Amino acid sequence: MRVPGDKSISHRALILAVLGRGRSRVRGLLRSADIESTAAVLRQLGVTIPALSAQEVVIAGVGLRGLRAPDGDLDCGNSGTTARLMAGVVAGAGVTARFIGDASLSARPMRRVAAPLDAMGATVALPAHGGLPMTVQGGALRGLTWHSEVASAQVKSAILLAGLVADVPVEVHEPAATRDHTERMLRARGVALRSEGLVVTLEPAARLDSADTEVPGDPSSAAFLAGLAALGACHTVTLENVGVNPARVGAMRVLERMGASVRYASESEQGGEPVATISVRPGVLHAVEIGGAEVPALIDELPLLACVAARAAGETRITGAAELRVKESDRIRSMVSNLRALGADAEELPDGLVVRGSDRPLRGRVITHGDHRIAMAFGVLGAVAGNAITLDDPSCVAVSYPTFWDALAEARRA
Ligand code: S3P
């Protein structure tokens, strides 16, 4: 099977195509609600973006100084990546824009990007709760060295994009390594960018070259089908052309640690990112400890791993993952309350959760809070023989994996 294009890379492919000089082609783009949000925001800044297609989208870049002030609010929908990365772009471009989003996004923390952008000389206004609406007034920015308190690729990318667009040097220190797609893609477009350990430094670049992007399959989407196979709810699943950037495949490593068989084949490089065919076979699953520096590489997959842990013998402890509380929902609370409502044994920690696995049948209705990854994680758990799980809102998968339910059915039939 193939999974749709990587969400993180798809956002960046559109943004960098727009900021480049000349034409860029994007193949394999994810078509989902979050990527539509980024396209819509870019259109509001005066750029022509054709209808999104997974085949090929050709974008005529406007260059680093080509964005216009928008007429209305920039609606980021449910997408944190859109809001935070575009806040950096808007700040650097010297325009003023008001960012809005749905109820979930409006409650998510924006100070983490507002603070560094303010320190660069932009003016960022936030409501008292620190979420949206956020008004970013760009200006003549100055260079910045920033020590980020949170391990966040969105914060890192917002600062890099602000520096790039404003033509000033920036240096970002991260507390733990996060996905480095922005760095790889900027380098491929001629930007002088250095990464050493947890520090990334961008030198001013008067221009950004255009480049074509082949978007690999999203490892975060692949993780759900991998989890299905690990749980023995289907036979071996073979997923072609999946991105295997080390900063993204923590969940594959954990599934293997839990006792599933995970094999990589046909490893190659595509547009500066490693890709491979991943095969996952069921195994006898046991509990594991998940925490520390590995967390950013599996943060989006923790709902899935918590559901797999509900069927793994022993007590799985997930720690160092307080960021889960500020994702599309409070995922610690959503996972624990739903697992318990189904009859599983789970408990909240301030920065994670504990799940005690069993093979008792899990039955009931899941409240997704409109969170795509909660929906897909329980969709996988519901596919396990003996379980009977319904969801209040299966359609929220449209945020990252609109064809998920068909893919799940196809994997189960095979
Ligand atoms: C993303 C970074 C992560 C991740 C999100 C996508 C990105 O968020 O959870 O789904 O594309 O940069 P944070 O940067 O907030 O950790």
Side-chain angles (χ1 to χ4, degrees):
M1 294 176 71
R2 284 193 172 229
V3 293
D6 188 277
K7 181 155 80 72
S8 291
I9 295 175
S10 293
H11 285 294
R12 289 157 171 82
L14 292 183
I15 295 170
L16 296 180
V18 161
L19 297 177
R21 289 205 320 188
R23 251 172 230 289
S24 300
R25 284 166 209 286
V26 186
R27 295 202 188 85
L29 188 81
L30 170 65
R31 284 186 61 206
S32 81
D34 269 15
I35 304 305
E36 291 290 354
S37 295
T38 286
V41 164
L42 290 168
R43 288 186 189 114
Q44 278 212 276
L45 293 167
V47 184
T48 305
I49 309 251
L52 302 188
S53 155
Q55 307 297 306
E56 181 176 271
V57 180
V58 182
I59 295 170
V62 298
L64 295 175
R65 322 257 164 272
L67 298 179
R68 281 204 319 257
D71 305 330
D73 291 342
L74 302 182
D75 189 349
C76 304
N78 189 247
S79 174
T81 310
T82 307
R84 299 200 180 106
L85 269 57
M86 289 308 299
V89 171
V90 162
V95 298
T96 298
R98 186 167 176 267
F99 291 81
I100 60 168
D102 69 8
S104 153
L105 182 61
S106 298
R108 293 179 64 191
M110 296 297 153
R111 276 199 192 98
R112 53 182 64 193
V113 283
L117 297 177
D118 259 327
M120 291 179 82
T123 305
V124 184
L126 293 177
H129 65 82
L132 300 182
M134 164 173 69
T135 302
V136 178
Q137 194 183 332
L141 302 191
R142 48 186 174 267
L144 177 75
T145 295
W146 190 254
H147 292 260
S148 182
E149 282 171 18
V150 281
S152 163
Q154 293 177 358
V155 171
K156 172 174 66 177
S157 301
I159 299 169
L160 292 174
L161 290 170
L164 172 76
V165 176
D167 202 13
V168 294
V170 290
E171 182 170 303
V172 185
H173 296 240
E174 299 190 275
T178 63
R179 64 194 69 192
D180 61 353
H181 306 303
T182 305
E183 295 92 307
R184 289 172 186 251
M185 294 174 83
L186 286 176
R187 259 189 225 110
R189 287 158 181 75
V191 177
L193 192 135
R194 253 192 352 265
S195 300
E196 277 176 47
L198 299 175
V199 186
V200 45
T201 313
L202 172 137
E203 298 299 337
R207 51 176 272 198
L208 184 71
D209 296 337
S210 58
D212 297 343
T213 309
E214 289 274 347
V215 182
D218 195 322
S220 299
S221 298
F224 293 101
L225 302 177
L228 185 80
L231 284 164
C234 64
H235 295 293
T236 302
V237 155
T238 300
L239 303 161
E240 289 176 354
N241 199 49
V242 182
V244 292
N245 182 316
R248 294 290 302 282
V249 293
M252 299 294 172
R253 292 193 281 261
V254 167
L255 289 175
E256 196 162 24
R257 223 151 77 208
M258 292 178 102
S261 153
V262 181
R263 294 282 169 271
Y264 288 14
S266 310
E267 291 180 65
S268 65
E269 208 177 275
Q270 188 174 294
E273 290 280 348
V275 296
T277 295
I278 304 181
S279 298
V280 183
R281 260 191 295 133
V284 178
L285 301 182
H286 52 81
V288 291
E289 300 260 324
I290 304 172
E294 74 177 331
V295 168
L298 48 70
I299 187 77
D300 293 334
E301 293 74 45
L302 284 172
L304 180 263
L305 293 173
C307 279
V308 173
R311 275 280 176 270
E315 179 178 291
T316 291
R317 279 183 86 79
I318 301 170
T319 55
E323 276 293 299
L324 285 179
R325 296 217 180 262
V326 291
K327 292 295 179 188
E328 287 81 331
S329 67
D330 174 343
R331 287 181 175 161
I332 294 179
R333 181 149 300 171
S334 341
M335 288 309 301
V336 170
S337 60
N338 280 309
L339 282 168
R340 284 188 170 184
L342 298 173
D345 185 352
E347 158 189 334
E348 286 193 33
L349 302 174
D351 65 340
L353 59 152
V354 173
V355 181
R356 291 177 203 92
S358 78
D359 45 23
R360 82 177 78 108
L362 302 175
R363 306 222 154 135
R365 186 172 174 78
V366 161
I367 312 292
T368 59
H369 302 282
D371 185 333
H372 55 135
R373 299 205 201 272
I374 299 289
M376 292 187 279
F378 283 102
V380 168
L381 192 57
V384 173
N387 293 348
I389 298 174
T390 58
L391 306 177
D392 65 343
D393 179 15
S395 69
C396 65
V397 302
V399 159
S400 64
Y401 196 165
T403 54
F404 174 72
W405 299 112
D406 292 338
L408 187 72
E410 187 187 331
R412 292 178 72 188
R413 267 198 310 273

